[in-house]
């Protein structure tokens, strides 16, 4: 009887809480909300710039300096604009306490590890490589791509954070059972991750410097492989300063970004070991991690 009363009280409490929470796309944390809005606005800008570069094929005239400059142009505003025009609630705070700094640190670490280490899984497991006519590289990856990745990942994570927030604050989700919430959350994160990976692979296909041996497998199976990045990062990044009453430190943001990167590395290597190459033979299993 007592357990039944407790269960009813818990369910009643959850219903009351669901009534108090209004579904929302943007964060209730004003500083985070203002940063998200800027990231979205700038994403429109840099995507238009990228689209112009690709459509006009002006990139065929680019060398090291031009590609590096393009990378700086799309990446640096994510830090410089909030620095010069801070959110009203953070204007008087030290830089280390501002949301945009923590977000850039998290994404910067995650993107750096992705380029430096995980790109080599694409080389080996997917047989997808770069052939950019440039020499400015770090560990066989063009330096400009480290910068461009930052812009891409800021865009991806702001969009998916908004979608996850809207779902996780919906009446349907809040009134569902715990088991149903978990299943729905896993399904949504998987869908967002696969869709993001697929659309990136598809949209860059017109650039001749990306050499993909088997496009069908790259799009169909490779998107699930690339999606591993986001299965981990989307729900982890979402947590950053989401609760206005519990602000993260820059150190915590860096540790969390590194933890996400380590988990992705483990999952990618487990794929290599147990599922093998998506394209090509299985020799990669015997060679150790491809970035060594």
């Amino acid at each position: 009887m007592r357990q039944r009363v407790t269960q009813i009280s818990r369910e009643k409490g959850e219903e009351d809480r669901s009534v108090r929470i209004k579904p929302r796309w943007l964060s209730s944390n004003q500083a985070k909300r203002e940063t998200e809005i800027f990231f979205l606005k700038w994403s429109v800008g840099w995507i238009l710039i990228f689209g112009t570069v690709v459509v006009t094929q002006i990139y065929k005239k680019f060398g090291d300096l031009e590609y590096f400059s393009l990378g700086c142009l799309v990446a640096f505003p994510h830090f410089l604009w909030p620095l010069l025009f801070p959110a009203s609630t953070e204007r008087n705070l030290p830089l280390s306490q501002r949301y945009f700094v923590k977000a850039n640190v998290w994404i910067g670490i995650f993107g750096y590890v992705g380029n430096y280490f995980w790109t080599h899984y694409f080389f080996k497991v997917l047989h997808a490589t770069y052939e950019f006519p440039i020499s400015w590289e770090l560990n066989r990856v063009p330096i400009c791509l480290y910068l461009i990745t930052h812009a891409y990942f800021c865009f991806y994570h702001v969009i998916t954070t908004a979608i996850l927030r809207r779902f996780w604050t919906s009446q349907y989700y809040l009134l569902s059972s715990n088991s149903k919430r978990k299943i729905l959350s896993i399904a949504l994160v998987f869908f967002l991750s696969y869709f993001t990976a697929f659309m990136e692979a598809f949209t860059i296909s017109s650039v001749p410097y990306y050499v993909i041996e088997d496009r069908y497998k790259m799009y169909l199976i490779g998107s699930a492989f690339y999606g591993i990045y986001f299965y981990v990062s989307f729900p982890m990044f979402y947590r950053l300063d989401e609760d206005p009453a519990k602000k993260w430190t820059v150190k915590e943001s860096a540790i969390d970004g590194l933890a996400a990167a380590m988990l992705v590395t483990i999952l990618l290597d487990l794929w290599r070991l147990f599922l093998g190459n998506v394209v090509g033979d299985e020799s990669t299993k015997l060679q150790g991690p491809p970035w060594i």
Side-chain angles (χ1 to χ4, degrees):
M1 181 63 180
R2 183 180 299 174
Q3 290 179 343
R4 178 59 180 163
V5 171
T6 302
Q7 181 181 356
I8 293 174
S9 300
R10 185 184 300 114
E11 291 175 353
K12 183 66 168 61
E14 289 179 354
E15 289 179 3
D16 291 342
R17 180 173 177 269
S18 70
V19 171
R20 293 195 303 270
I21 296 177
K22 293 183 178 180
R24 60 183 183 273
W25 294 96
L26 296 174
S27 177
S28 59
N29 178 345
Q30 185 174 342
K32 184 172 182 176
R33 180 169 65 252
E34 291 185 30
T35 301
E36 288 176 339
I37 291 172
F38 168 69
F39 279 10
L40 290 172
K41 288 180 177 179
W42 176 235
S43 294
V44 174
W46 72 256
I47 289 172
L48 287 174
I49 293 172
F50 253 49
T52 302
V53 169
V54 173
V55 170
T56 61
Q57 297 189 351
I58 193 174
Y59 62 84
K60 292 183 178 180
K61 299 179 181 180
F62 283 5
D64 286 299
L65 181 60
E66 289 80 10
Y67 274 111
F68 181 75
S69 299
L70 178 64
C72 291
L73 175 63
V74 301
F76 286 0
H78 292 91
F79 185 87
L80 292 178
W81 184 272
L83 176 65
L84 299 174
F85 305 97
S88 56
T89 55
E90 294 190 318
R91 189 169 290 118
N92 298 320
L93 293 178
L95 281 177
S96 61
Q97 296 180 22
R98 300 185 189 183
Y99 173 76
F100 84 91
V101 174
K102 292 176 276 189
N104 274 280
V105 166
W106 201 105
I107 295 292
I109 289 173
F110 191 76
Y112 172 81
V113 174
N115 279 286
Y116 191 91
F117 293 103
W118 307 335
T119 300
H120 294 269
Y121 285 97
F122 279 73
F123 295 165
K124 299 294 185 180
V125 176
L126 301 178
H127 283 212
T129 59
Y130 305 129
E131 290 186 357
F132 284 86
I134 54 180
S135 59
W136 293 5
E137 296 182 339
L138 179 62
N139 200 24
R140 294 180 58 202
V141 178
I143 291 176
C144 64
L145 293 184
Y146 286 82
L147 298 167
I148 292 170
T149 295
H150 192 77
Y152 267 89
F153 280 12
C154 283
F155 173 59
Y156 294 162
H157 286 80
V158 167
I159 286 287
T160 54
T161 290
I163 294 172
L164 290 172
R165 181 184 296 119
R166 179 61 180 81
F167 177 67
W168 285 335
T169 58
S170 67
Q171 296 294 308
Y172 177 75
Y173 175 81
L174 293 172
L175 294 176
S176 297
S177 64
N178 287 334
S179 58
K180 188 175 182 180
R181 289 182 188 182
K182 291 178 182 179
I183 293 171
L184 291 173
S185 295
I186 291 171
L188 179 58
V189 170
F190 179 84
F191 170 77
L192 292 174
S193 302
Y194 186 89
F195 180 77
T196 300
F198 178 86
M199 289 306 298
E200 182 181 324
F202 182 75
T203 54
I204 66 173
S205 62
S206 61
V207 179
Y209 303 138
Y210 291 98
V211 180
I212 302 172
E213 186 174 313
D214 188 325
R215 290 186 179 274
Y216 177 78
K217 287 185 177 180
M218 174 65 184
Y219 295 150
L220 185 64
I221 305 175
S223 294
F225 181 80
Y226 181 24
I228 290 173
Y229 291 28
F230 308 125
Y231 306 148
V232 174
S233 70
F234 286 165
M236 288 189 69
F237 181 79
Y238 171 89
R239 298 154 42 248
L240 180 59
D241 276 8
E242 185 62 18
D243 182 354
K246 187 180 183 301
K247 298 294 182 68
W248 294 33
T249 65
V250 171
K251 180 180 178 181
E252 289 171 333
S253 304
I255 291 173
D256 200 72
L258 286 167
M262 187 67 242
L263 181 53
V264 172
T265 304
I266 292 170
L267 294 175
L268 291 176
D269 214 51
L270 288 175
W271 179 303
R272 176 186 67 85
L273 288 172
F274 293 102
L275 298 180
N277 291 354
V278 173
V279 180
D281 58 36
E282 298 298 309
S283 60
T284 301
K285 290 184 178 181
L286 305 176
Q287 296 170 355
W291 34 266
I292 294 180

